[in-house]
Amino acid sequence: MDEWVNAVKEGDRRKIARAISWIENGDIRREALMEALYPHTGGAFLIGVTGSPGAGKSTLVDGLLFEIRKQGKKAAVIAVDPTSPFTGGALLGDRVRMARHALDKGVFIRSMGTRGSLGGLARPAKEAARVLDAAGYDVIFIETVGVGQSEIDIMHLADTVALVLTPGSGDAVQVFKAGIMETADLFVVNKADGEGAEKLVRDIEEMLSLVKGDAPWMPPIVQTESKEGRGLDLLWGKMESHRLYLLESGNWEGHRLQRLRREVQEIMEEELRNQLADRIRDPAFQQDLDRVQSREKAPHEVARKWLARLMDTSGGANYDRG
Ligand SMILES: Nc1nc2c(ncn2[C@@H]2O[C@H](COP(=O)(O)OP(=O)(O)O)[C@@H](O)[C@H]2O)c(=O)[nH]1
Ligand SMILES: [Mg+2]
């Protein structure tokens, strides 16, 4: 693994791309690589960008890349699209955008689709971000589509979350309902050249005053025309302000610790679920279920017995009382 870690750290683009493929495909080397890379991560600024399809997220991020490059920082994009089976239009669009940065070694763009995996994309996106973090990208964007639970999960990976809305789309109401208002640190009113931009800004302000009250960080609302590159310097400035706010308020480490705790807990829960699923494939489990059905045994009794077996195999204390 040392060889791979060194290659990633040196920014070897082909190796970075391969590593992300391992993550996507659940390659057996994935876990070892992630563990070996972990000590070299933590330096990147992770920014989540979400909003409805067509809101202009990709165009926006693309423009931000130029702003960030002007400052001499390296930047990467992970475009997560749970709806596209990886070969769809999103990838095509990303190819076009990537071509604009093709000669720039300081930019890395990658799409991730679902490929039918049920586990969601939050974990793969997080791991891909870690690879890019270890590779020395200063800023990593994670672009997701929509405002569903999986997007909210992905947004939990980010230090700063920007929500992109467009005038006249009715997005704001949706977002309010989905409870994503609370998750966003920044609001972007994109396509501000369109009619109704001012009204959308007022609507967001109104909702924010309800949700945020006098919170220490009041999310700014930035109007952009990302196609023309308008407002992007201001937006990048606000993203940096949020980062500074997190650092100065002590929330930066706090938020990250909270996320790491959730991550470790999720891994443990998943492992337990898998072990349990293995255990109860035993025909004896079916027999016990039959006894529950015939009222010979109570559900709790059987659950205790099988939990105890699980604890035995995973080296825990034996508390079998069943
Ligand atoms: N009029 C206008 N069109 C825009 C603007 N930003 C993006 N678009 C267009 O909106 C469409 C969707 O953009 P895209 O970035 O792919 O949206 P995404 O699905 O949110 O990533 C594209 O045709 C863009 O050219 C803008 O500020 N004004
Ligand atoms: Mg897009």
Side-chain angles (χ1 to χ4, degrees):
M1 267 316 146
D2 286 355
E3 213 179 293
W4 277 87
V5 171
N6 288 333
V8 168
K9 277 175 67 188
E10 280 159 21
D12 180 333
R13 297 168 72 86
R14 205 173 298 164
K15 288 266 170 41
I16 293 168
R18 278 279 298 284
I20 297 177
S21 297
W22 288 359
I23 292 166
E24 277 185 315
N25 301 330
D27 189 283
I28 45 164
R29 290 162 286 189
R30 163 187 180 172
E31 207 170 296
L33 179 68
M34 292 320 298
E35 280 176 25
L37 284 177
Y38 189 71
H40 308 286
T41 62
F45 178 25
L46 264 60
I47 303 176
V49 178
T50 193
S52 303
K57 300 177 295 297
S58 298
T59 315
L60 191 85
V61 168
D62 189 54
L64 288 170
L65 291 176
F66 287 104
E67 292 297 324
I68 294 163
R69 293 298 289 144
K70 271 192 227 159
Q71 300 182 340
K73 292 180 174 144
K74 291 169 68 179
V77 184
I78 301 167
V80 180
D81 190 351
T83 59
S84 102
F86 196 68
T87 46
L91 187 60
L92 194 68
D94 289 332
R95 283 243 170 88
V96 172
R97 276 182 281 269
M98 243 184 290
R100 293 179 61 193
H101 301 278
L103 295 174
D104 186 352
K105 295 276 179 276
V107 168
F108 193 98
I109 302 176
R110 172 72 175 233
S111 291
M112 297 184 86
T114 44
R115 292 194 171 166
S117 77
L118 290 172
L121 279 162
R123 174 89 59 86
K126 172 172 15 205
E127 293 184 356
R130 286 220 173 111
V131 172
L132 294 164
D133 186 345
Y137 288 93
D138 303 292
V139 182
I140 301 170
F141 290 100
I142 304 171
E143 178 190 335
T144 62
V145 177
V147 291
Q149 187 55 48
S150 72
E151 286 75 27
I152 294 179
D153 288 346
I154 292 172
M155 287 305 115
H156 282 313
L157 313 178
D159 299 304
T160 296
V161 173
L163 179 61
V164 184
L165 302 170
T166 51
S169 59
D171 275 352
V173 180
Q174 282 288 99
V175 157
F176 194 52
K177 278 191 195 146
I180 211 166
M181 210 79 185
E182 290 86 336
T183 320
D185 303 302
L186 284 158
F187 288 81
V188 183
V189 172
N190 190 42
K191 307 196 185 184
D193 47 326
E195 210 170 302
E198 293 297 335
K199 181 177 184 310
L200 178 55
V201 170
R202 282 197 305 276
D203 287 349
I204 298 169
E205 275 169 352
E206 205 170 298
M207 288 187 207
L208 277 178
S209 67
L210 288 175
V211 173
K212 294 282 176 179
D214 52 1
W217 172 263
M218 184 51 91
I221 307 168
V222 184
Q223 298 191 46
T224 58
E225 292 172 41
S226 55
K227 228 169 91 180
E228 309 299 331
R230 269 187 214 119
L232 297 183
D233 49 349
L234 183 65
L235 177 58
W236 174 237
K238 295 290 184 195
M239 288 172 163
E240 288 198 302
S241 303
H242 185 245
R243 178 165 181 271
L244 278 179
Y245 155 75
L246 288 174
L247 286 168
E248 283 164 7
S249 63
N251 282 330
W252 179 267
E253 285 304 323
H255 283 179
R256 287 193 162 190
L257 184 61
Q258 222 175 342
R259 290 189 330 246
L260 292 173
R261 170 197 284 270
R262 188 178 345 197
E263 179 175 350
V264 173
Q265 203 172 323
E266 273 171 13
I267 295 170
M268 291 183 344
E269 282 169 3
E270 191 183 305
E271 183 58 28
L272 278 176
R273 246 194 313 275
N274 289 341
Q275 286 188 21
L276 186 62
D278 268 356
R279 262 280 156 199
I280 64 181
R281 244 180 249 128
D282 191 329
F285 181 69
Q286 186 56 49
Q287 286 166 15
D288 276 345
L289 279 187
D290 292 341
R291 288 191 191 107
V292 173
Q293 195 175 27
S294 63
R295 300 296 189 274
E296 275 170 76
K297 278 181 186 290
H300 267 103
E301 205 182 339
V302 167
R304 255 198 325 269
K305 172 178 161 186
W306 287 88
L307 273 176
R309 291 198 172 180
L310 185 68
M311 296 306 162
D312 272 351
T313 52
S314 48
N318 179 1
Y319 62 87
D320 189 356
R321 288 173 287 162

